[in-house]
């Protein structure tokens, strides 16, 4: 378990975020951490699952972020997956 700082953008938001996550967190947990700072503030809450994209690929929600080749300060994009 180690700190993994990521840059993140929630689709529809205007601010890039620096989000410290644990490399043992699941992709779903990482998406929720990003959404915590945005949804209900600058982006409307929706009843849809969150999706996390890294290097153009949607990451599996159950995957552990630290096992996917995501490196410190890599960029992720979080969005609602309809």
């Amino acid at each position: 378990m180690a700190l993994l700082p990521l840059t993140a953008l929630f689709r529809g938001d205007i601010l890039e975020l620096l989000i410290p996550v644990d490399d043992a967190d699941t992709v779903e947990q990482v998406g929720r951490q990003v959404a915590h700072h945005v949804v209900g503030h600058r982006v409307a809450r929706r009843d849809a699952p969150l999706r996390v994209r890294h290097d153009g690929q949607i990451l599996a929600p159950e995957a552990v972020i630290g096992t996917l080749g995501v490196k410190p300060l890599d960029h992720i994009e979080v969005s609602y997956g309809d």
Side-chain angles (χ1 to χ4, degrees):
M1 295 185 180
L3 182 65
L4 180 62
L6 301 173
T7 62
L9 181 67
F10 196 100
R11 188 177 294 169
D13 194 10
I14 59 170
L15 298 177
E16 180 95 12
L17 304 171
L18 178 61
I19 302 291
V21 301
D22 191 297
D23 66 353
D25 287 346
T26 65
V27 169
E28 181 178 2
Q29 290 171 314
V30 170
R32 284 197 313 257
Q33 289 175 52
V34 174
H36 170 78
H37 297 282
V38 177
V39 173
H41 302 283
R42 294 180 302 276
V43 174
R45 186 172 311 280
R46 292 176 43 197
D47 187 22
L50 295 173
R51 299 288 183 243
V52 177
R53 183 182 304 270
H54 176 258
D55 283 342
Q57 301 293 323
I58 299 286
L59 304 178
E62 68 281 354
V64 174
I65 195 75
T67 66
L68 298 175
V70 178
K71 296 177 181 53
L73 299 179
D74 273 4
H75 178 77
I76 61 170
E77 181 179 299
V78 180
S79 62
Y80 286 113
D82 300 351

